[in-house]
Amino acid sequence: MVTKGDVFDPNCPTRVILDRLGDKWTVLVVLRLRSGPQRFTELRDAIGQVAPKVLTQTLRRMERDGLVTREVFPEIPPRVVYTLTPLGTSLIDPISVLTDWAETHLPAITSAQATYDANA
Amino acid sequence: MVTKGDVFDPNCPTRVILDRLGDKWTVLVVLRLRSGPQRFTELRDAIGQVAPKVLTQTLRRMERDGLVTREVFPEIPPRVVYTLTPLGTSLIDPISVLTDWAETHLPAITSAQATYDANA
DNA sequence: CTGGATCCTCCAAGATACTG
DNA sequence: CAGTATCTTGGAGGATCCAG
């Protein structure tokens, strides 16, 4: 049974989620797929300089977690389309809360850092 | 100027925040300090097996970011108390959204993983 | 008690090249 | 086009000992 108190258990679900969100690309993939299914190359180009190996790793892990589906069309050249699952879509709101917080408080953080560094 | 669209800019504020939340201990420190100021050892004991060096690094970074204050009492033995700043306190809500999401959807994720692994 | 100093491990991430 | 194969690396995290 999972309770609110076990965030301090190393196997706590929140820790698992934060591991995912903490990686470099998962959140960006979610935000890209928000506007609809995308092909591998579309994701790569949109997200920026990400090595194909890394993007593949990210997408595979997201597929395993049930956040995206991977659809292969057996054509030449091959076409692979990634789509957010309902589970993946449900992550958009929590992510938005974070981005909103980040954008709201960035000035305060930057300012705090400047003050801290000045006294160093 | 910071806009919603620049999540794909490597210097995007959201990326910075996610880097923090993605580390192993910051979120746990926030949740501990939620119930009030704590001493170094109290934090260490409550959070679990964290090396003092690592906890110090975490706390220093949080102090630099303006999330906590560090108060040293020049006594023997020394006493150091960490307290959430208003900025740090404002992080509790976004974190709660994440923990709620995690706890709600953990079964779905676990199930998805099991299905994925079974077909491997 | 707090946490600095030192050394070590591990792995996400990246660069590059290649293939069905 | 959508990856895989291989090699490399930076830095978070950890273990241990020591000091004010």
Side-chain angles (χ1 to χ4, degrees):
Chain A
M1 182 54 187
V2 170
T3 66
K4 293 268 180 189
D6 68 355
V7 199
F8 300 97
D9 174 345
N11 295 330
C12 159
T14 304
R15 302 278 281 267
V16 178
I17 302 308
L18 285 171
D19 276 350
R20 295 296 186 273
L21 268 46
D23 77 34
K24 212 167 172 181
W25 306 112
T26 298
V27 169
L28 296 184
V29 169
V30 170
L31 292 180
R32 275 312 292 185
L33 292 183
R34 177 184 195 169
S35 46
Q38 301 261 308
R39 303 179 57 169
F40 186 86
T41 307
E42 289 172 330
L43 282 173
R44 186 174 54 77
D45 292 347
I47 285 177
Q49 302 317 315
V50 54
K53 189 199 72 170
V54 176
L55 183 57
T56 299
Q57 284 176 347
T58 302
L59 289 167
R60 288 286 196 283
R61 185 170 46 217
M62 295 177 70
E63 188 193 3
R64 177 170 184 268
D65 289 344
L67 300 179
V68 301
T69 55
R70 178 172 177 270
E71 205 175 357
V72 183
F73 296 85
E75 311 166 351
I76 306 283
R79 182 161 57 100
V80 178
V81 173
Y82 293 91
T83 310
L84 273 188
T85 63
L87 184 60
T89 303
S90 74
L91 246 183
I92 291 177
D93 277 351
I95 288 177
S96 297
V97 171
L98 277 182
T99 59
D100 287 349
W101 188 93
E103 290 173 6
T104 302
H105 298 285
L106 177 70
I109 294 173
T110 303
S111 157
Q113 289 174 347
T115 303
Y116 184 93
D117 294 345
N119 298 347
Chain B
M1 181 55 186
V2 171
T3 65
K4 295 268 181 189
D6 68 355
V7 199
F8 300 98
D9 174 344
N11 294 332
C12 160
T14 304
R15 301 278 282 267
V16 178
I17 302 307
L18 285 172
D19 276 350
R20 294 296 185 275
L21 299 188
D23 79 32
K24 210 167 172 179
W25 306 112
T26 297
V27 169
L28 296 184
V29 170
V30 171
L31 293 180
R32 275 312 291 185
L33 293 182
R34 177 185 196 170
S35 45
Q38 302 261 309
R39 302 181 58 170
F40 186 86
T41 307
E42 289 173 329
L43 282 172
R44 185 174 55 76
D45 293 346
I47 285 177
Q49 302 317 316
V50 54
K53 189 199 73 171
V54 175
L55 183 57
T56 299
Q57 283 176 346
T58 303
L59 289 167
R60 288 288 195 281
R61 185 171 47 217
M62 294 177 71
E63 187 192 4
R64 178 170 183 266
D65 290 344
L67 299 179
V68 301
T69 56
R70 177 172 177 271
E71 205 174 357
V72 182
F73 296 85
E75 311 165 351
I76 306 284
R79 182 161 56 102
V80 180
V81 172
Y82 294 90
T83 310
L84 274 188
T85 63
L87 184 60
T89 304
S90 74
L91 246 183
I92 291 177
D93 276 351
I95 288 177
S96 298
V97 172
L98 277 182
T99 58
D100 287 350
W101 188 94
E103 291 173 5
T104 302
H105 295 99
L106 177 71
I109 294 173
T110 303
S111 157
Q113 289 174 346
T115 302
Y116 184 92
D117 294 346
N119 298 348

